[in-house]
Amino acid sequence: MERQVLKQEAKNLLNNNFLFFFLLFLPAFVIQLCSVSNGTYDYLVNNFQYKIAESTSFGFSIITSFLITSAGLVCIDAFRNKVKFEKAIPQAFKIFDKGQYFIALILITILEIVYVFLWTLLLVVPGVIKSIAYSQAFYIYRDHIDNGNQITYLQAITESRKLMDGHKMDYFVMELSFIGWMFLIPITAGIAAIWVLPYYQLTFCNFYKKLVEDNPLSEDTQN
């Protein structure tokens, strides 16, 4: 994987269709803004209200994560030339197109958390390595479902682990390459996220797209 090529392709796609991607990620931005506002309010409430506000903030974070993952499905399809760059906001909720998508995201995420936690009990590093190894599981599941192949959540996680063999360091280094961009977000009071978040997501969706092109997904998912 050539990191600079992946990032440049992501930049080109984003810059050529900025309004579309801005609107695609807008629901996630709005929810995240609500979460930040809720966190500010925490300082003004008593202890009981604080616990309620803290739970609400956690809920906002989960919704934001779901919306970003949903936008990721569109990003992958954009690299595959399957997207018309119009009606971006409805596409932001692609995760709800099929009940299987939404349920799979929840259950695969839970399984990943459990597995990574168990590995982390040994040492932190194995936990980090496994979290990277499992990172493509949901996208793999979605592709199988769209191709008419039945697959279990555990099979998706296993296939992700196999797909990431030899590419975990590529993924980790690419994560590190965005540290400077992530620092820019608080410096600009969050304004930079309007460009940085789509850029980040597009880069990693391009990473997945290239992985699958070089290592086609298995069609034998019944055994």
Side-chain angles (χ1 to χ4, degrees), residues 119 129-130 132-137 140 154-168:
W119 279 101
I129 292 173
K130 288 301 178 180
I132 293 174
Y134 303 150
S135 62
Q136 311 304 309
I140 289 172
L154 288 176
Q155 284 174 325
I157 290 174
T158 299
E159 192 158 356
S160 174
R161 178 176 54 77
K162 293 178 179 178
L163 190 66
M164 290 295 287
D165 280 349
H167 297 289
K168 289 187 285 292

Side-chain angles (χ1 to χ4, degrees), residues 6-218:
L6 294 176
K7 297 178 75 172
Q8 188 59 53
E9 289 176 351
K11 283 182 185 177
N12 293 342
L13 188 59
L14 174 58
N15 291 335
N16 291 335
N17 304 278
F18 177 73
L19 180 59
F20 173 84
F21 287 109
F22 168 71
L23 294 175
L24 179 68
F25 284 87
L26 183 60
F29 292 143
V30 172
I31 296 297
Q32 186 61 35
L33 182 61
C34 290
S35 177
V36 172
S37 300
N38 188 72
T40 302
Y41 178 68
D42 289 346
Y43 292 100
L44 306 177
V45 297
N46 62 37
N47 187 52
F48 175 71
Q49 290 172 314
Y50 174 82
K51 291 178 180 178
I52 296 176
E54 193 175 45
S55 299
T56 304
S57 181
F58 177 69
F60 281 142
S61 297
I62 292 176
I63 295 172
T64 301
S65 177
F66 273 49
L67 290 173
I68 291 174
T69 302
S70 181
L73 299 179
V74 180
C75 291
I76 292 172
D77 289 343
F79 279 113
R80 291 171 171 171
N81 299 315
K82 294 181 178 180
V83 170
K84 293 183 178 180
F85 296 100
E86 55 189 30
K87 300 180 180 179
I89 292 182
Q91 293 192 60
F93 301 93
K94 189 176 181 65
I95 194 75
F96 301 106
D97 281 359
K98 293 182 180 180
Q100 284 177 293
Y101 292 169
F102 182 69
I103 295 172
L105 180 57
I106 294 174
L107 296 180
I108 287 174
T109 300
I110 291 173
L111 286 172
E112 289 176 2
I113 291 173
V114 171
Y115 288 156
V116 170
F117 172 74
L118 292 175
W119 279 101
T120 305
L121 290 178
L122 299 177
L123 283 172
V124 174
V125 173
V128 173
I129 292 173
K130 288 301 178 180
S131 68
I132 293 174
Y134 303 150
S135 62
Q136 311 304 309
F138 174 67
Y139 292 146
I140 289 172
Y141 182 88
R142 194 283 293 250
D143 274 351
H144 275 295
I145 295 302
D146 284 359
N147 291 332
N149 301 322
Q150 293 301 314
I151 184 173
T152 68
Y153 308 131
L154 288 176
Q155 284 174 325
I157 290 174
T158 299
E159 192 158 356
S160 174
R161 178 176 54 77
K162 293 178 179 178
L163 190 66
M164 290 295 287
D165 280 349
H167 297 289
K168 289 187 285 292
M169 183 56 71
D170 295 330
Y171 187 99
F172 180 70
V173 172
M174 195 153 64
E175 285 274 14
L176 293 179
S177 74
F178 277 96
I179 289 179
W181 289 106
M182 294 308 170
F183 277 126
L184 188 61
I185 294 176
I187 291 174
T188 60
I191 295 175
I194 292 172
W195 191 85
V196 174
L197 180 57
Y199 172 40
Y200 173 91
Q201 194 71 6
L202 280 164
T203 299
F204 281 91
C205 287
N206 196 20
F207 176 87
Y208 171 74
K209 179 235 181 190
K210 294 292 177 63
L211 270 182
V212 173
E213 285 179 348
D214 294 341
N215 306 274
L217 299 179
S218 171

